[in-house]
Amino acid sequence: METNHSATILGKRYQILQTLGSGGMALVFRARDILLERSVAVKVLRQNYSQNVDFRERFRQEALAAANLSHPNIVTVHDFGYDDGKLFIVMEYIPGTDLKTILKKKGAMTLDEAIPLIVQACAGIGYAHRAGLIHCDVKPHNMLVTPDSRLKVTDFGIARALSTIQPEEQHEVVWGSPQYFAPEIASGAAPSQASDVYSLGVILYEMLTGQLPFTSTDPVELARCHRDVMPIPPRQLNPAIPPALEQIMLKVLRKEPGARYRTADQLGRVLVSFSQIADAYSSNIPPLGPVLPQRTEPQPVKTKPAVRADAIPPAAAPTLLPESAEEPVPSMDWKTITLALIATLAVGGLIPFWLYVGFSLLGR
């Protein structure tokens, strides 16, 4: 909930108005850009981070990389700076609620609700992957949902350029949140695109079942579960999940990075293709009996995994389905048919001749 905040101006430009949220690393405020006269969101890092010179330089490099991302499903970074001992980053202000808050209030979502949102998340993160960045902290807390169901991924502040990460590189620190990080990150390995894909799979699991695949108050135990324990098949928790979708979810949650979908783009295409195929199949099933009058009482929850066209931004909606697998009917080969008819007539014309010869011989 927003709370009033004493007016403070950062960088001689951004007037702090209200507190939007707080985390272990930073506070987030709604502010007014005095120069451009617009609302913005300002994330101010806590003092113990701001005073670290090495961290400030790393944060500057990551903020520069994030500022180059321009996509309808990514929160735009406008500016960053350091003022009065405070390191801050300025982003577009998005009116809405983070996905984690929505899940806490709502519980499990229907397929019609969940798939369009996760496809948008895949579109934004997939765009970052193509730009050479990984998010490293994919979780529903970092996904903002607007009142018209548009999703934007935020907090690329810890993202790193893929070119600076060597496959054999090991880290003493653990990236991301224990509930959502990938098995390789739990083992201390460098994050990769497949690590973001795993985190997206955890979020989809939570959206459709109403619970995380692994829960524990001990981060060490959570890390062990991600590395060694297979999650409960989601259909056991929500039978409305189609078997084909369950297979997609379990593939995303595999322990080996190479066994998952390679990028968020690929996962998004698979989910859109699944939804379109399932929708087309459902629409082609004829009714089993006469159509009954519409009832005024609430109807059962739909389980058809349809993705509305307006729920996917144009940048995330390429042609995903292959052309029809049916082969076209071949055209007639008239030349061959003509030759066959001539041969038939020729052979047929010899029959009277041989009959004549036969009767002549018998007449002798």
Side-chain angles (χ1 to χ4, degrees), residues 89-110:
I89 185 168
V90 182
M91 303 167 287
E92 66 172 316
Y93 172 69
I94 305 297
T97 308
D98 68 87
L99 181 58
K100 185 63 177 182
T101 300
I102 294 174
L103 290 173
K104 286 181 178 179
K105 293 179 179 179
K106 188 178 185 62
M109 292 182 170
T110 65

Side-chain angles (χ1 to χ4, degrees), residues 203-217:
I203 295 172
L204 181 58
Y205 189 103
E206 183 180 12
M207 293 170 79
L208 292 177
T209 67
Q211 67 182 58
L212 289 161
F214 308 114
T215 56
S216 175
T217 57

Side-chain angles (χ1 to χ4, degrees), residues 2 5 56 134 153 192 199 245 259 318 320 328 346-347 363:
E2 296 185 355
H5 191 277
R56 289 208 303 265
I134 48 178
V153 181
S192 67
S199 299
L245 180 57
L320 298 169
V347 173

Side-chain angles (χ1 to χ4, degrees), residues 122-281:
C122 288
I125 295 172
Y127 173 83
H129 286 172
R130 296 196 303 275
L133 295 175
I134 48 178
H135 191 290
C136 302
D137 194 18
V138 175
K139 57 185 179 182
H141 313 67
N142 291 333
M143 297 178 180
L144 301 178
V145 181
T146 65
D148 61 346
S149 297
R150 307 292 292 186
L151 183 142
K152 285 179 175 278
V153 181
T154 187
D155 201 4
F156 276 86
I158 61 172
R160 298 181 58 187
L162 286 177
S163 60
T164 66
I165 298 179
Q166 301 299 325
E168 67 276 7
E169 182 181 359
Q170 297 290 318
H171 293 274
E172 295 180 358
V173 298
V174 175
W175 297 90
S177 301
Q179 293 89 351
Y180 300 92
F181 61 27
E184 61 272 17
I185 295 180
S187 300
S192 67
Q193 294 176 338
S195 305
D196 283 349
V197 171
Y198 181 93
S199 299
L200 286 167
V202 175
I203 295 172
L204 181 58
Y205 189 103
E206 183 180 12
M207 293 170 79
L208 292 177
T209 67
Q211 67 182 58
L212 289 161
F214 308 114
T215 56
S216 175
T217 57
D218 182 6
V220 175
E221 175 62 15
L222 277 175
R224 185 194 70 81
C225 290
H226 283 294
R227 290 194 311 265
D228 305 326
V229 180
M230 292 303 298
I232 299 173
R235 278 176 53 82
Q236 291 187 19
L237 303 173
N238 181 4
I241 298 174
L245 180 57
E246 181 182 62
Q247 292 304 310
I248 294 171
M249 296 168 68
L250 292 177
K251 178 178 175 66
V252 174
L253 293 176
R254 289 182 182 176
K255 306 302 181 184
E256 291 296 324
R260 305 171 203 142
Y261 299 108
R262 296 188 302 276
T263 66
D265 274 334
Q266 187 180 17
L267 172 58
R269 287 194 296 268
V270 169
L271 289 173
V272 172
S273 297
F274 161 78
S275 182
Q276 291 177 345
I277 292 171
D279 186 31
Y281 174 78

Side-chain angles (χ1 to χ4, degrees), residues 293-357:
Q294 186 86 22
R295 302 168 101 185
T296 57
E297 62 206 33
Q299 298 300 304
V301 176
K302 295 182 179 179
T303 60
K304 178 181 67 175
V307 176
R308 304 188 310 275
D310 62 350
I312 306 174
T319 302
L320 298 169
L321 291 178
E323 298 295 330
S324 174
E326 296 183 5
E327 297 183 358
V329 179
S331 59
M332 290 186 175
D333 189 345
W334 291 107
K335 185 176 181 180
T336 302
I337 294 174
T338 302
L339 291 175
L341 289 173
I342 293 173
T344 301
L345 292 173
V347 173
L350 292 175
I351 293 175
F353 172 76
W354 290 114
L355 289 174
Y356 172 75
V357 172

